[in-house]
Amino acid sequence: QVQLVESGGGLVQAGGSLRLSCAASRTIFSINAIGWYRQAPGKQRELVARISSGGSTNYVDSAKGRFTITRDNAKNTVYLQMNSLKPEETAVYYCNAVPVWGNYWGQGTQVTVSS
């Protein structure tokens, strides 16, 4: 089992930055896919960024060039640096880990971008 705890959300003005953290309860070294998703009110949850155990990353098109996902295996933590935030990116951001034995979600952290 893996417990994930997100932090770092908050209120920021358009154009501002936030760094989200996802702390895992166990080593993430062997977890191949760890990602950040977001869900806005009335919308489906969507993938924002994902990182593999080897460091390969992929992003939703709207986040490319502005968001960066990284992982620190020593700290069992994955980060999402978000720059130049837009009001339409207001959502609850969730961390997701997919080891070979399961699929785990954190409780989410609210990100609100004011115009």
Side-chain angles (χ1 to χ4, degrees), residues 39-114:
Q39 187 167 21
K43 295 189 176 181
Q44 289 190 332
R45 192 172 297 189
E46 66 169 351
L47 175 66
V48 178
R50 183 189 290 131
I51 187 166
S52 72
S53 57
S56 298
T57 58
N58 61 285
Y59 298 89
V60 64
D61 284 346
S62 62
K64 290 178 180 177
R66 298 185 298 119
F67 291 10
T68 303
I69 187 170
T70 57
R71 61 193 289 167
D72 186 335
N73 290 338
K75 295 183 178 180
N76 298 328
T77 301
V78 174
Y79 304 97
L80 183 66
Q81 177 68 43
M82 305 187 294
N83 299 327
S84 302
L85 282 160
K86 304 174 182 179
E88 55 265 36
E89 293 176 316
T90 293
V92 178
Y93 284 68
Y94 297 90
C95 183
N96 172 252
V98 188
V100 293
W101 63 87
N103 189 339
Y104 300 93
W105 294 89
Q107 82 289 349
T109 185
Q110 176 70 46
V111 171
T112 302
V113 185
S114 64

Side-chain angles (χ1 to χ4, degrees), residues 11-26:
L11 174 64
V12 64
Q13 288 188 333
S17 298
L18 285 174
R19 188 176 81 153
L20 305 183
S21 299
C22 172
S25 61
R26 57 169 291 158

